[in-house]
Amino acid sequence: MSPFVKFYLFSYNFLQASAWAISLLIILNSFLSNKTIISAYASAGFLISLFQTAAILEVLHGAIGIVPSGFLSPLMQWSGRTHFILAIVGQIKEVQDSPWLSITLVAWCIGEMIRYPHYAFTCLGRCPYWLTYLRYTGFIVIYPTGLVGELLIMYKALPYVKERNLYANFFSVFPFSYYDFLWAVLLVYPFLWLKLYLQLFKQRKSKLGKSKKLHGKRKRM
């Protein structure tokens, strides 16, 4: 990997980590100020939507081969989250004050505050073991929390999608409506998510083992 690519990837991941950390601070401040947990989207929704959309770059990174993830896995993760935050939450005000949305966004923020610094330091070859451990352990609780929240919000959105015939113009060329599409997403989403979740468990064993050996060698040196 060239020094320029390393610098670019470190800068990108550092920027993303900072944005998600700021989002979490804004949400927590909102919780304390308003004495309620339903204000996460109102306070940090724009920033989260912006940087989640910008994460399309990670699909490009995989597609051109500057990271080893490939493009399919990042594409699945990006499209699922971006559809959720822009097409559903951003368009249906009735779900924006749900406690489950706040829980989901907090889970997203915590997960990304771990993931992006891990990527940033890994591309420099200087990732501390504790951060690697956190990356491949924290997801065990954080990811299912986010999944449950996303599914509940999508389910809550269904009546409003049907009532307003949301995205009717776009779906007019298809033999099904967006309401039908969203039902299909609800049914398929947990299985696609489970594939990614189990993949992380496989990575956990190898990554933690390699990281522990590497840091053991550095200590002996």
Side-chain angles (χ1 to χ4, degrees), residues 3-206:
F4 174 77
V5 173
K6 281 185 179 181
F7 175 76
Y8 163 73
L9 288 176
F10 177 83
S11 300
Y12 168 79
N13 286 296
F14 179 81
L15 181 61
Q16 281 279 11
S18 300
W20 288 96
I22 291 169
S23 297
L24 182 61
L25 288 174
I26 292 172
I27 290 171
L28 294 179
N29 180 64
S30 175
F31 287 172
L32 293 173
S33 300
N34 300 320
K35 297 180 180 179
T36 178
I37 66 165
I38 65 171
S39 55
Y41 183 80
S43 58
F46 175 78
L47 187 60
I48 289 173
S49 299
L50 178 64
F51 278 87
Q52 174 55 43
T53 304
I56 186 65
L57 289 172
E58 293 164 40
V59 181
L60 180 62
H61 296 163
I64 64 178
I66 62 173
V67 295
S69 61
F71 78 94
L72 184 58
S73 179
L75 178 62
M76 289 171 62
Q77 294 177 61
W78 177 84
S79 59
R81 277 192 173 188
T82 305
H83 166 255
F84 174 80
I85 198 69
L86 294 184
I88 299 173
V89 176
Q91 299 300 317
I92 302 174
K93 291 183 178 180
E94 288 82 356
V95 303
Q96 293 175 5
D97 61 353
S98 167
W100 272 106
L101 178 59
S102 293
I103 292 168
T104 301
L105 296 183
V106 168
W108 283 15
C109 289
I110 295 172
E112 302 302 50
M113 284 169 57
I114 297 170
R115 186 170 73 97
Y116 283 115
H118 175 263
Y119 287 165
F121 287 108
T122 297
C123 74
L124 296 180
R126 294 286 180 180
C127 188
Y129 177 75
W130 66 265
L131 185 54
T132 302
Y133 183 84
L134 202 56
R135 163 71 179 116
Y136 289 101
T137 303
F139 81 90
I140 296 172
V141 174
I142 294 168
Y143 283 21
T145 303
L147 172 72
V148 171
E150 290 173 49
L151 292 176
L152 288 173
I153 293 299
M154 283 191 278
Y155 183 77
K156 184 178 179 180
L158 281 169
Y160 303 106
V161 170
K162 187 174 184 179
E163 177 187 334
R164 296 163 195 175
N165 199 12
L166 212 60
Y167 308 117
N169 290 337
F170 178 82
F171 279 86
S172 62
V173 297
F174 300 105
F176 52 87
S177 65
Y178 179 65
Y179 176 79
D180 299 324
F181 170 78
L182 191 55
W183 260 117
V185 170
L186 270 169
L187 294 174
V188 173
Y189 201 69
F191 298 100
L192 296 176
W193 175 89
L194 184 61
K195 182 180 179 182
L196 296 172
Y197 190 61
L198 294 177
Q199 186 179 351
L200 273 173
F201 270 104
K202 290 180 181 179
Q203 291 177 4
R204 184 179 190 272
K205 187 175 181 180
S206 62

